[in-house]
Amino acid sequence: MGGAAVTEEEYLVSRMRGFGTTIFAEMSALATQTGAINLGQGFPDTDGPPEIFDAAIEAIRAGHNQYPPGRGIPALRHAIAEHQQWYYGLTYDPDREVLVTAGATEAIAATILALCETGDEVVVLEPTYDSYAASIALAGAVLRPVTLHHPDYRLDVDALRAAVTPRTRLLLINSPHNPTGRVLDRTELTAIAELAVERDLVVVTDEVYEHLAFDREHIPLATLPGMRDRTVTISSAGKTFSCTGWKIGWVCASPALVDAVGTTKQFLTYVNGAPFQHAIVTGLALPEHRIESIRRNLRDRRDQLSNALLAAGLDVHPCEATYFLTVDVATLGETDGLAFCRALPERIGVVAIPSSVFYLDPGPARTLVRFAFCKRPDVLDEAVRRLAGLGTSMRSGTQMSSDVRSPA
Ligand code: PMP
Ligand code: GLN
């Protein structure tokens, strides 16, 4: 190579280009600075089941404060295996087929780093959860998006088939899906499974919202014919038990796949969250009706936000699951969701996430905006009151108010 030597700074800037502060961190910081209601980053504003918090405190007091075993404490690996058996009829060996990780985020990164070589292609659903693109880039692999087109966000099976090439190493599927709130149905999952079997592909499934599907049953891809041993199933306690800060995630897969992911995990975090691992054993042992009531509560929040935004004249897309619903702000005369979201805290005291950040090329998705509904009813009511002002000011042609700034 000719020319001047690249400085360390130039190298670092170019290496991390495109991977600056995540939109979630940017928008949460904006909420803190402005005192706006944070419907951006997906985290609940109330605690989950009290038993797990007591169990975490007990675990700390009982001295579970040093490195746990590399694959996770045996009790948690057994609890995860039992969970897969109870809910889905999937059998995993807790010693060889389960790995505890630092949230689903580490599970995703470790899986991609373990399985992909430079130049390998990873086919992902678009809109794409942000850490996928970063993990794929860190592995030197290439992201091939298959777009779920709004407003129904159904999988285009022909587009999926066309995205698979001889360089395809992985399919990375997320259902229930962030940010669209879609739950892939059996027809869509069968098409993915058939393609994976036909092309002998490994599929990674991110199922962190497995218990937050309201209107359609969540079907793990690993339950479909031919899929159990070619699927890396990833989930996390954060969403199910409202403890996103604890970062206890897991991987269930065949022994060879778990070995590969575990080897990578060793050199990322080595181990994580000893006392919280004990607490999640308690969480996974809770009776099914407790998880059902968490789901019902969240479904009510979804309905509260969705109905209120619809009544305010906003264009709300249907949402079957997760913490999130999508609004098209084009009907408000907006042309750029990112600019809209950056201005929203100052204008009306609400923070949201521009869905465009989940696309390589957002095209018509440029005006979509994601709102989190995993918040207390009074907080959602206040947010809706503020958001309703947007529709009113549009219809009356008046300026939007910028004086609503008090925190909820
Ligand atoms: N996948 C998806 C689709 C998510 O929305 C999130 C965010 N919670 C994660 C993975 C990361 O999960 P965790 O917090 O367990 O790392
Ligand atoms: N999964 C969360 C969301 O989509 C964000 C988690 C994070 O900030 N990494 O809002």
Side-chain angles (χ1 to χ4, degrees), residues 102-105 108 129 132 174 178 206 208-209 236 239 244 247:
T105 308
I108 293 158
Y129 179 61
Y132 301 175
N174 169 216
N178 176 8
D206 174 349
V208 299
Y209 299 100
S236 163
K239 306 301 178 320
T244 61
K247 301 299 281 190

Side-chain angles (χ1 to χ4, degrees), residues 285-303:
L286 288 173
E288 199 172 343
H289 71 84
R290 296 291 298 283
I291 291 183
E292 174 62 28
S293 96
I294 292 168
R295 176 170 43 245
R296 245 186 289 115
N297 187 279
L298 205 57
R299 185 199 58 200
D300 292 348
R301 302 286 75 76
R302 185 269 319 258
D303 291 344

Side-chain angles (χ1 to χ4, degrees), residues 22 24-25 40-43 105 129-130 178 209 239 247 324 353 358 370:
T22 75
F24 307 119
Q41 192 173 34
F43 61 88
T105 308
Y129 179 61
D130 73 335
N178 176 8
Y209 299 100
K239 306 301 178 320
K247 301 299 281 190
F324 311 112
I353 298 291
F358 302 111
R370 190 195 82 173

